[in-house]
Amino acid sequence: MFADRAKIIIRSGKGGDGHVSFRRELYVPNGGPDGGDGGRGGDVVFEVDEGLNTLYDYRHRRKFKAQDGEEGGKRRCHGKSGGDIVLKVPEGTLIREAASGKVIADMSGENRRQVILKGGRGGAGNQHFATATMQVPKYAQPGQPAQELEVLLELKVIADVGLVGFPNVGKSTLLSRVTNARPKIANYHFTTLNPNLGVVDLEGGGFVIADIPGLIEGASQGVGLGHEFLRHIERTRVIIHLVDAASTEGRDPVEDVYTINKELKAYQEEIAARPQVIAANKTDAIQAEAGADPIERLKQEFEPAGIRVFPISAVTGTGLSELLYYVQELLKNTDQKPIVFEQEYFPEEMLIDETLPYTVEKTEEGVYLVEGPRIEKMLGYTNLDSEKGFIFFQNFLKKTGILDELEAAGIQEGDTVKMYGLAFEYFR
């Protein structure tokens, strides 16, 4: 079966412990502390792989772990940092926190690589703790612990146009006719299991079309494979309803459109409100003596609501050009911005112990110092070089009340804030 969901456990590397040792050399009987620092733990990184189109690699393996950092050594030797683990996923993969369902990352658009869990920072060796009153410190800092998280991987295919319809109305045939896709084609009375993607090449600009596996009534409630595939339509900007105008299997094409729109609306109202077009397929099989013209009936029912109806035959190619160029115009007149899901869950938050203290004070030089165990721990797990890491950092300052305390202390725009060697200019 097509693998478009997987639940896995990811774990970053633990930071290596700092080392306790003292310099011991001939003629230097009482050398000072020389314990080295521990290495940093490896990160858990997700990366888009253009060659993948399923999450199959994550269906039979549950746990993925980065390497731990090594302990520091004697003679100020720094422990080796742990290796990152890079997990390759198809474009369009959504990474959610499993318990809450909140989005951690959307691996689509410009987001090709993202650190999801940071490795623990290595602990300081005892060389850092020597003072005038404590010249032989027998203490070294332990490495920061690893982060572990259960995540749900969910593939939502990237396509401009979603092709929907009941099983056996000709979606696979149409896709193979108008794109470079080669889906399996047969007279199936059950739904195709794979969402097939293809590129439509047209003068003036092409687009990507996805054959969304056949829907059945009750799909929005999870009947059959409904929920398994409705997610694939979430990124599409235009919807093509493919119906069997000839009613070769006794289906009513008008009722089919209403039924599928009902399922789309029940799943997500915003999807059902997107631009739609009806492709009335199998016109080559319409019997002239069968009674009322099904094409006219479809037009009278839906065109007053702004939904165009195009009579086509996926087998002979009749009407396909008119349909595709109309869809091209619809796309040009819709929002061109790709649908990307915003981050809702920041794994760093679970590491912040709100009982840990911190201080905010202004120095004589006019610099604002923010320090304390809570700040040190947050900085140890936050990648400030990334845009998402910096967003988390800003949210942390706001949620913990640090920004309020800085303003209460009289900070002004352009003033400098320092946190353990990091300096920032303050802006509202």
Side-chain angles (χ1 to χ4, degrees):
M1 180 174 173
F2 180 69
D4 61 353
R5 281 167 69 90
K7 190 180 284 187
I8 63 173
I9 295 170
I10 54 176
R11 181 183 181 275
S12 63
K14 175 190 176 299
D17 295 337
H19 190 70
V20 176
S21 62
F22 298 90
R23 186 180 172 197
R24 292 289 183 266
E25 295 180 31
L26 192 62
Y27 309 119
V28 188
N30 297 312
D34 69 351
D37 300 342
R40 186 178 186 92
D43 299 336
V44 178
V45 183
F46 278 80
E47 187 174 86
V48 171
D49 185 333
E50 306 289 349
L52 294 177
N53 56 17
T54 78
L55 294 169
Y56 181 80
D57 291 345
Y58 303 99
R59 294 298 289 268
H60 303 291
R61 182 181 167 192
R62 281 271 292 157
K63 294 187 177 182
F64 297 84
K65 178 182 176 297
Q67 289 182 342
D68 295 336
E70 292 185 356
E71 181 184 355
K74 299 178 180 179
R75 299 179 183 176
R76 307 191 177 212
C77 288
H78 196 290
K80 182 181 177 182
S81 292
D84 299 339
I85 184 169
V86 180
L87 303 179
K88 303 291 184 72
V89 293
E91 183 176 9
T93 300
L94 210 60
I95 304 166
R96 298 181 185 270
E97 196 273 322
S100 66
K102 291 183 177 179
V103 175
I104 301 172
D106 184 351
M107 305 305 295
S108 61
E110 296 180 357
N111 190 26
R112 319 305 288 178
R113 180 182 173 92
Q114 184 171 334
V115 176
I116 301 299
L117 294 183
K118 289 286 293 178
R121 191 170 57 188
N126 70 333
Q127 60 174 309
H128 297 282
F129 300 102
T131 65
T133 56
M134 174 61 73
Q135 296 183 9
V136 285
K138 297 180 180 178
Y139 166 80
Q141 189 180 41
Q144 288 185 321
Q147 288 182 271
E148 185 171 287
L149 192 63
E150 187 175 38
V151 296
L152 176 65
L153 306 182
E154 188 176 72
L155 178 58
K156 298 178 187 288
V157 298
I158 305 291
D160 302 301
V161 178
L163 184 61
V164 299
F166 277 84
N168 207 36
V169 294
K171 297 196 308 303
S172 296
T173 303
L174 176 62
L175 193 73
S176 66
R177 181 92 190 193
V178 302
T179 76
N180 56 358
R182 292 294 175 264
K184 292 180 182 178
I185 300 170
N187 187 25
Y188 294 127
H189 286 77
F190 51 87
T191 179
T192 305
L193 293 181
N194 290 25
N196 293 299
L197 287 176
V199 178
V200 177
D201 290 319
L202 293 176
E203 186 178 343
F207 52 86
V208 179
I209 187 169
D211 159 22
I212 308 300
L215 300 178
I216 60 174
E217 194 165 359
S220 58
Q221 280 77 47
V223 174
L225 295 170
H227 265 149
E228 296 299 311
F229 297 113
L230 276 168
R231 74 175 63 91
H232 293 301
I233 208 169
E234 289 187 30
R235 296 190 199 269
T236 59
R237 294 186 287 131
V238 170
I239 295 170
I240 298 177
H241 285 273
L242 193 67
V243 295
D244 179 359
S247 299
T248 56
E249 297 189 355
R251 303 202 59 86
D252 183 340
V254 171
E255 286 303 314
D256 282 0
V257 175
Y258 279 125
T259 300
I260 286 180
N261 268 338
K262 180 182 174 184
E263 295 303 319
L264 294 178
K265 189 173 182 180
Y267 180 72
Q268 195 176 118
E269 284 200 31
E270 191 271 330
I271 294 175
R274 291 176 191 167
Q276 298 184 4
V277 60
I278 295 171
N281 193 26
K282 303 189 182 182
T283 53
D284 55 304
I286 294 176
Q287 302 296 321
E289 66 277 4
D293 183 356
I295 304 301
E296 282 305 311
R297 182 166 165 252
L298 283 163
K299 287 184 175 182
Q300 290 172 13
E301 190 73 27
F302 295 107
E303 290 198 341
I307 302 175
R308 287 281 304 276
V309 177
F310 288 85
I312 68 164
S313 170
V315 172
T316 66
T318 304
L320 294 183
S321 179
E322 293 86 347
L323 169 68
L324 296 177
Y325 277 105
Y326 178 74
V327 170
Q328 183 189 61
E329 284 303 308
L330 280 181
L331 288 168
K332 287 179 179 177
N333 294 321
T334 60
D335 187 3
Q336 298 295 314
K337 186 178 179 182
I339 297 171
V340 177
F341 295 82
E342 294 298 322
Q343 185 169 6
E344 303 168 320
Y345 184 92
F346 294 86
E348 298 93 331
E349 287 184 352
M350 68 182 182
L351 297 165
I352 306 304
D353 184 349
E354 295 187 1
T355 65
L356 294 175
Y358 68 89
T359 58
V360 176
E361 60 178 305
K362 184 179 180 181
T363 67
E364 294 180 0
E365 295 79 20
V367 174
Y368 291 82
L369 289 179
V370 182
E371 295 181 332
R374 195 188 309 185
I375 309 301
E376 187 176 14
K377 191 166 187 177
M378 179 274 297
L379 291 174
Y381 284 105
T382 306
N383 180 15
L384 296 180
D385 294 331
S386 75
E387 180 184 355
K388 295 181 186 297
F390 199 76
I391 290 172
F392 166 74
F393 172 67
Q394 290 176 312
N395 290 337
F396 170 81
L397 297 181
K398 187 174 182 179
K399 286 177 66 176
T400 54
I402 292 172
L403 292 182
D404 293 337
E405 291 193 37
L406 286 169
E407 294 196 357
I411 196 168
Q412 301 294 320
E413 286 208 10
D415 287 348
T416 300
V417 179
K418 282 192 174 180
M419 300 180 183
Y420 292 98
L422 297 172
F424 308 92
E425 280 191 44
Y426 178 78
F427 291 101
R428 284 188 175 84

